Amino acid sequence: QVQLVESGGGLVQAGGSLRLSCVASGRRFGSYTRGWYRQAPGKRREFVATIQSDGTPTYANSVKGRFTIARDNAKNTVALQMSSLEPEDTAVYYCYFRYTFYYFWGQGTQVPVPS
């Protein structure tokens, strides 16, 4: 079965950096779009970043210039490098792989950024 496993989450102080990783298994994901959403306490899940099969990234305005998304097709991974973290970045972060309208999601990883 398809499984996406996230790692790298954890508490980080404001101004710090953290790298999230997501590894997919269960099928071939080489050409899938990959990305990240997040959900802060009491808020709806929001888009963070996506990366196309050709490597083209797109970022939410709230993270632009601070976050970097990357992919490795051979390893079926997508990563999110987060820098200059702010308390507003506190959320559960979810990775996804997408092909057309099919989405596969990770379990989520918590990133608390205390004030």
Side-chain angles (χ1 to χ4, degrees), residues 52-77:
Q52 305 299 323
S53 60
D54 66 356
T56 302
T58 303
Y59 299 96
N61 289 335
S62 59
V63 307
K64 195 174 299 182
R66 301 186 298 116
F67 290 12
T68 301
I69 189 170
R71 63 186 285 157
D72 188 327
N73 289 341
K75 297 181 179 179
N76 290 330
T77 62

PDB file of all heavy atoms in Angstrom, residues 52-77:
ATOM      1  N   GLN A  52       6.965  20.952  -8.815  1.00  0.00           N
ATOM      2  CA  GLN A  52       6.545  20.174  -9.969  1.00  0.00           C
ATOM      3  C   GLN A  52       7.599  19.140 -10.342  1.00  0.00           C
ATOM      4  O   GLN A  52       8.707  19.131  -9.793  1.00  0.00           O
ATOM      5  CB  GLN A  52       6.268  21.104 -11.153  1.00  0.00           C
ATOM      6  CG  GLN A  52       5.272  22.211 -10.860  1.00  0.00           C
ATOM      7  CD  GLN A  52       3.914  21.683 -10.473  1.00  0.00           C
ATOM      8  OE1 GLN A  52       3.455  20.669 -11.006  1.00  0.00           O
ATOM      9  NE2 GLN A  52       3.255  22.363  -9.546  1.00  0.00           N
ATOM     10  N   SER A  53       7.245  18.286 -11.291  1.00  0.00           N
ATOM     11  CA  SER A  53       8.158  17.223 -11.692  1.00  0.00           C
ATOM     12  C   SER A  53       9.444  17.757 -12.301  1.00  0.00           C
ATOM     13  O   SER A  53      10.479  17.093 -12.233  1.00  0.00           O
ATOM     14  CB  SER A  53       7.471  16.275 -12.669  1.00  0.00           C
ATOM     15  OG  SER A  53       7.053  16.958 -13.839  1.00  0.00           O
ATOM     16  N   ASP A  54       9.379  18.955 -12.890  1.00  0.00           N
ATOM     17  CA  ASP A  54      10.576  19.560 -13.467  1.00  0.00           C
ATOM     18  C   ASP A  54      11.366  20.380 -12.456  1.00  0.00           C
ATOM     19  O   ASP A  54      12.356  21.012 -12.821  1.00  0.00           O
ATOM     20  CB  ASP A  54      10.220  20.416 -14.676  1.00  0.00           C
ATOM     21  CG  ASP A  54       9.377  21.628 -14.326  1.00  0.00           C
ATOM     22  OD1 ASP A  54       8.994  21.782 -13.153  1.00  0.00           O
ATOM     23  OD2 ASP A  54       9.096  22.430 -15.240  1.00  0.00           O
ATOM     24  N   GLY A  55      10.932  20.402 -11.201  1.00  0.00           N
ATOM     25  CA  GLY A  55      11.625  21.121 -10.156  1.00  0.00           C
ATOM     26  C   GLY A  55      11.131  22.524  -9.893  1.00  0.00           C
ATOM     27  O   GLY A  55      11.689  23.209  -9.030  1.00  0.00           O
ATOM     28  N   THR A  56      10.106  22.970 -10.596  1.00  0.00           N
ATOM     29  CA  THR A  56       9.583  24.321 -10.411  1.00  0.00           C
ATOM     30  C   THR A  56       8.857  24.435  -9.079  1.00  0.00           C
ATOM     31  O   THR A  56       7.876  23.733  -8.842  1.00  0.00           O
ATOM     32  CB  THR A  56       8.631  24.693 -11.549  1.00  0.00           C
ATOM     33  OG1 THR A  56       9.315  24.589 -12.802  1.00  0.00           O
ATOM     34  CG2 THR A  56       8.129  26.122 -11.367  1.00  0.00           C
ATOM     35  N   PRO A  57       9.305  25.332  -8.188  1.00  0.00           N
ATOM     36  CA  PRO A  57       8.652  25.475  -6.890  1.00  0.00           C
ATOM     37  C   PRO A  57       7.633  26.608  -6.869  1.00  0.00           C
ATOM     38  O   PRO A  57       7.741  27.575  -7.622  1.00  0.00           O
ATOM     39  CB  PRO A  57       9.818  25.795  -5.952  1.00  0.00           C
ATOM     40  CG  PRO A  57      10.733  26.613  -6.812  1.00  0.00           C
ATOM     41  CD  PRO A  57      10.567  26.095  -8.232  1.00  0.00           C
ATOM     42  N   THR A  58       6.670  26.481  -5.990  1.00  0.00           N
ATOM     43  CA  THR A  58       5.714  27.532  -5.700  1.00  0.00           C
ATOM     44  C   THR A  58       5.547  27.609  -4.192  1.00  0.00           C
ATOM     45  O   THR A  58       5.449  26.582  -3.527  1.00  0.00           O
ATOM     46  CB  THR A  58       4.352  27.269  -6.357  1.00  0.00           C
ATOM     47  OG1 THR A  58       4.518  27.122  -7.770  1.00  0.00           O
ATOM     48  CG2 THR A  58       3.396  28.430  -6.092  1.00  0.00           C
ATOM     49  N   TYR A  59       5.498  28.836  -3.651  1.00  0.00           N
ATOM     50  CA  TYR A  59       5.415  29.024  -2.209  1.00  0.00           C
ATOM     51  C   TYR A  59       4.252  29.920  -1.843  1.00  0.00           C
ATOM     52  O   TYR A  59       3.891  30.841  -2.581  1.00  0.00           O
ATOM     53  CB  TYR A  59       6.695  29.653  -1.673  1.00  0.00           C
ATOM     54  CG  TYR A  59       7.935  28.834  -1.909  1.00  0.00           C
ATOM     55  CD1 TYR A  59       8.766  29.080  -2.996  1.00  0.00           C
ATOM     56  CD2 TYR A  59       8.279  27.807  -1.038  1.00  0.00           C
ATOM     57  CE1 TYR A  59       9.904  28.323  -3.211  1.00  0.00           C
ATOM     58  CE2 TYR A  59       9.417  27.048  -1.251  1.00  0.00           C
ATOM     59  CZ  TYR A  59      10.224  27.308  -2.334  1.00  0.00           C
ATOM     60  OH  TYR A  59      11.354  26.554  -2.544  1.00  0.00           O
ATOM     61  N   ALA A  60       3.680  29.658  -0.683  1.00  0.00           N
ATOM     62  CA  ALA A  60       2.732  30.599  -0.110  1.00  0.00           C
ATOM     63  C   ALA A  60       3.460  31.889   0.240  1.00  0.00           C
ATOM     64  O   ALA A  60       4.642  31.878   0.591  1.00  0.00           O
ATOM     65  CB  ALA A  60       2.082  30.008   1.135  1.00  0.00           C
ATOM     66  N   ASN A  61       2.751  32.997   0.138  1.00  0.00           N
ATOM     67  CA  ASN A  61       3.372  34.285   0.452  1.00  0.00           C
ATOM     68  C   ASN A  61       3.919  34.334   1.882  1.00  0.00           C
ATOM     69  O   ASN A  61       4.935  34.995   2.136  1.00  0.00           O
ATOM     70  CB  ASN A  61       2.377  35.419   0.237  1.00  0.00           C
ATOM     71  CG  ASN A  61       2.084  35.668  -1.229  1.00  0.00           C
ATOM     72  OD1 ASN A  61       2.898  35.366  -2.096  1.00  0.00           O
ATOM     73  ND2 ASN A  61       0.912  36.215  -1.508  1.00  0.00           N
ATOM     74  N   SER A  62       3.279  33.632   2.786  1.00  0.00           N
ATOM     75  CA  SER A  62       3.677  33.679   4.183  1.00  0.00           C
ATOM     76  C   SER A  62       5.035  33.040   4.447  1.00  0.00           C
ATOM     77  O   SER A  62       5.654  33.320   5.475  1.00  0.00           O
ATOM     78  CB  SER A  62       2.616  33.010   5.055  1.00  0.00           C
ATOM     79  OG  SER A  62       2.423  31.663   4.665  1.00  0.00           O
ATOM     80  N   VAL A  63       5.499  32.181   3.543  1.00  0.00           N
ATOM     81  CA  VAL A  63       6.770  31.492   3.752  1.00  0.00           C
ATOM     82  C   VAL A  63       7.799  31.822   2.688  1.00  0.00           C
ATOM     83  O   VAL A  63       8.949  31.373   2.798  1.00  0.00           O
ATOM     84  CB  VAL A  63       6.573  29.965   3.818  1.00  0.00           C
ATOM     85  CG1 VAL A  63       5.512  29.603   4.852  1.00  0.00           C
ATOM     86  CG2 VAL A  63       6.207  29.395   2.450  1.00  0.00           C
ATOM     87  N   LYS A  64       7.422  32.572   1.693  1.00  0.00           N
ATOM     88  CA  LYS A  64       8.319  32.893   0.592  1.00  0.00           C
ATOM     89  C   LYS A  64       9.570  33.594   1.107  1.00  0.00           C
ATOM     90  O   LYS A  64       9.497  34.534   1.897  1.00  0.00           O
ATOM     91  CB  LYS A  64       7.593  33.759  -0.424  1.00  0.00           C
ATOM     92  CG  LYS A  64       8.280  33.860  -1.777  1.00  0.00           C
ATOM     93  CD  LYS A  64       7.393  34.616  -2.767  1.00  0.00           C
ATOM     94  CE  LYS A  64       6.067  33.887  -2.990  1.00  0.00           C
ATOM     95  NZ  LYS A  64       5.206  34.595  -3.986  1.00  0.00           N
ATOM     96  N   GLY A  65      10.717  33.122   0.664  1.00  0.00           N
ATOM     97  CA  GLY A  65      11.985  33.677   1.092  1.00  0.00           C
ATOM     98  C   GLY A  65      12.548  33.044   2.339  1.00  0.00           C
ATOM     99  O   GLY A  65      13.718  33.274   2.668  1.00  0.00           O
ATOM    100  N   ARG A  66      11.752  32.244   3.044  1.00  0.00           N
ATOM    101  CA  ARG A  66      12.203  31.586   4.267  1.00  0.00           C
ATOM    102  C   ARG A  66      12.237  30.072   4.147  1.00  0.00           C
ATOM    103  O   ARG A  66      13.063  29.425   4.786  1.00  0.00           O
ATOM    104  CB  ARG A  66      11.305  31.974   5.444  1.00  0.00           C
ATOM    105  CG  ARG A  66      11.259  33.466   5.727  1.00  0.00           C
ATOM    106  CD  ARG A  66      10.478  33.780   6.995  1.00  0.00           C
ATOM    107  NE  ARG A  66       9.079  33.359   6.887  1.00  0.00           N
ATOM    108  CZ  ARG A  66       8.523  32.423   7.647  1.00  0.00           C
ATOM    109  NH1 ARG A  66       9.237  31.805   8.580  1.00  0.00           N
ATOM    110  NH2 ARG A  66       7.239  32.116   7.489  1.00  0.00           N
ATOM    111  N   PHE A  67      11.332  29.512   3.344  1.00  0.00           N
ATOM    112  CA  PHE A  67      11.239  28.066   3.172  1.00  0.00           C
ATOM    113  C   PHE A  67      11.732  27.685   1.782  1.00  0.00           C
ATOM    114  O   PHE A  67      11.555  28.442   0.818  1.00  0.00           O
ATOM    115  CB  PHE A  67       9.802  27.580   3.327  1.00  0.00           C
ATOM    116  CG  PHE A  67       9.244  27.649   4.723  1.00  0.00           C
ATOM    117  CD1 PHE A  67       9.888  28.345   5.731  1.00  0.00           C
ATOM    118  CD2 PHE A  67       8.059  26.998   5.016  1.00  0.00           C
ATOM    119  CE1 PHE A  67       9.363  28.410   7.011  1.00  0.00           C
ATOM    120  CE2 PHE A  67       7.521  27.041   6.285  1.00  0.00           C
ATOM    121  CZ  PHE A  67       8.172  27.749   7.289  1.00  0.00           C
ATOM    122  N   THR A  68      12.307  26.502   1.677  1.00  0.00           N
ATOM    123  CA  THR A  68      12.752  25.967   0.401  1.00  0.00           C
ATOM    124  C   THR A  68      12.285  24.522   0.281  1.00  0.00           C
ATOM    125  O   THR A  68      12.515  23.721   1.188  1.00  0.00           O
ATOM    126  CB  THR A  68      14.278  26.032   0.259  1.00  0.00           C
ATOM    127  OG1 THR A  68      14.722  27.386   0.380  1.00  0.00           O
ATOM    128  CG2 THR A  68      14.704  25.496  -1.110  1.00  0.00           C
ATOM    129  N   ILE A  69      11.639  24.198  -0.824  1.00  0.00           N
ATOM    130  CA  ILE A  69      11.178  22.843  -1.078  1.00  0.00           C
ATOM    131  C   ILE A  69      12.126  22.176  -2.068  1.00  0.00           C
ATOM    132  O   ILE A  69      12.664  22.822  -2.968  1.00  0.00           O
ATOM    133  CB  ILE A  69       9.727  22.834  -1.589  1.00  0.00           C
ATOM    134  CG1 ILE A  69       9.174  21.408  -1.640  1.00  0.00           C
ATOM    135  CG2 ILE A  69       9.605  23.527  -2.939  1.00  0.00           C
ATOM    136  CD1 ILE A  69       7.675  21.341  -1.915  1.00  0.00           C
ATOM    137  N   ALA A  70      12.331  20.881  -1.891  1.00  0.00           N
ATOM    138  CA  ALA A  70      13.208  20.124  -2.777  1.00  0.00           C
ATOM    139  C   ALA A  70      12.663  18.717  -2.957  1.00  0.00           C
ATOM    140  O   ALA A  70      11.893  18.223  -2.126  1.00  0.00           O
ATOM    141  CB  ALA A  70      14.632  20.088  -2.228  1.00  0.00           C
ATOM    142  N   ARG A  71      13.064  18.073  -4.038  1.00  0.00           N
ATOM    143  CA  ARG A  71      12.628  16.708  -4.302  1.00  0.00           C
ATOM    144  C   ARG A  71      13.772  15.887  -4.859  1.00  0.00           C
ATOM    145  O   ARG A  71      14.709  16.415  -5.457  1.00  0.00           O
ATOM    146  CB  ARG A  71      11.451  16.687  -5.276  1.00  0.00           C
ATOM    147  CG  ARG A  71      11.779  17.245  -6.657  1.00  0.00           C
ATOM    148  CD  ARG A  71      10.540  17.321  -7.524  1.00  0.00           C
ATOM    149  NE  ARG A  71      10.126  16.006  -8.009  1.00  0.00           N
ATOM    150  CZ  ARG A  71       8.888  15.703  -8.392  1.00  0.00           C
ATOM    151  NH1 ARG A  71       7.927  16.616  -8.301  1.00  0.00           N
ATOM    152  NH2 ARG A  71       8.612  14.490  -8.842  1.00  0.00           N
ATOM    153  N   ASP A  72      13.678  14.593  -4.658  1.00  0.00           N
ATOM    154  CA  ASP A  72      14.620  13.643  -5.218  1.00  0.00           C
ATOM    155  C   ASP A  72      13.790  12.515  -5.803  1.00  0.00           C
ATOM    156  O   ASP A  72      13.253  11.686  -5.065  1.00  0.00           O
ATOM    157  CB  ASP A  72      15.593  13.131  -4.161  1.00  0.00           C
ATOM    158  CG  ASP A  72      16.704  12.279  -4.742  1.00  0.00           C
ATOM    159  OD1 ASP A  72      16.466  11.564  -5.732  1.00  0.00           O
ATOM    160  OD2 ASP A  72      17.821  12.309  -4.200  1.00  0.00           O
ATOM    161  N   ASN A  73      13.660  12.499  -7.117  1.00  0.00           N
ATOM    162  CA  ASN A  73      12.801  11.513  -7.760  1.00  0.00           C
ATOM    163  C   ASN A  73      13.272  10.083  -7.522  1.00  0.00           C
ATOM    164  O   ASN A  73      12.456   9.182  -7.326  1.00  0.00           O
ATOM    165  CB  ASN A  73      12.715  11.790  -9.261  1.00  0.00           C
ATOM    166  CG  ASN A  73      11.926  13.034  -9.581  1.00  0.00           C
ATOM    167  OD1 ASN A  73      11.144  13.521  -8.763  1.00  0.00           O
ATOM    168  ND2 ASN A  73      12.118  13.558 -10.786  1.00  0.00           N
ATOM    169  N   ALA A  74      14.579   9.878  -7.547  1.00  0.00           N
ATOM    170  CA  ALA A  74      15.110   8.537  -7.371  1.00  0.00           C
ATOM    171  C   ALA A  74      14.815   7.985  -5.984  1.00  0.00           C
ATOM    172  O   ALA A  74      14.654   6.774  -5.816  1.00  0.00           O
ATOM    173  CB  ALA A  74      16.609   8.525  -7.634  1.00  0.00           C
ATOM    174  N   LYS A  75      14.733   8.867  -4.996  1.00  0.00           N
ATOM    175  CA  LYS A  75      14.498   8.433  -3.623  1.00  0.00           C
ATOM    176  C   LYS A  75      13.048   8.604  -3.177  1.00  0.00           C
ATOM    177  O   LYS A  75      12.734   8.306  -2.028  1.00  0.00           O
ATOM    178  CB  LYS A  75      15.422   9.193  -2.675  1.00  0.00           C
ATOM    179  CG  LYS A  75      16.897   8.936  -2.919  1.00  0.00           C
ATOM    180  CD  LYS A  75      17.772   9.699  -1.931  1.00  0.00           C
ATOM    181  CE  LYS A  75      19.241   9.425  -2.162  1.00  0.00           C
ATOM    182  NZ  LYS A  75      20.104  10.179  -1.214  1.00  0.00           N
ATOM    183  N   ASN A  76      12.183   9.099  -4.065  1.00  0.00           N
ATOM    184  CA  ASN A  76      10.769   9.304  -3.736  1.00  0.00           C
ATOM    185  C   ASN A  76      10.597  10.168  -2.490  1.00  0.00           C
ATOM    186  O   ASN A  76       9.820   9.837  -1.585  1.00  0.00           O
ATOM    187  CB  ASN A  76      10.050   7.970  -3.553  1.00  0.00           C
ATOM    188  CG  ASN A  76       9.892   7.211  -4.841  1.00  0.00           C
ATOM    189  OD1 ASN A  76       9.782   7.803  -5.923  1.00  0.00           O
ATOM    190  ND2 ASN A  76       9.876   5.891  -4.757  1.00  0.00           N
ATOM    191  N   THR A  77      11.313  11.266  -2.453  1.00  0.00           N
ATOM    192  CA  THR A  77      11.261  12.142  -1.297  1.00  0.00           C
ATOM    193  C   THR A  77      10.851  13.563  -1.683  1.00  0.00           C
ATOM    194  O   THR A  77      10.975  13.981  -2.831  1.00  0.00           O
ATOM    195  CB  THR A  77      12.616  12.219  -0.578  1.00  0.00           C
ATOM    196  OG1 THR A  77      13.598  12.773  -1.459  1.00  0.00           O
ATOM    197  CG2 THR A  77      13.065  10.844  -0.117  1.00  0.00           C
TER     198      THR A  77
END
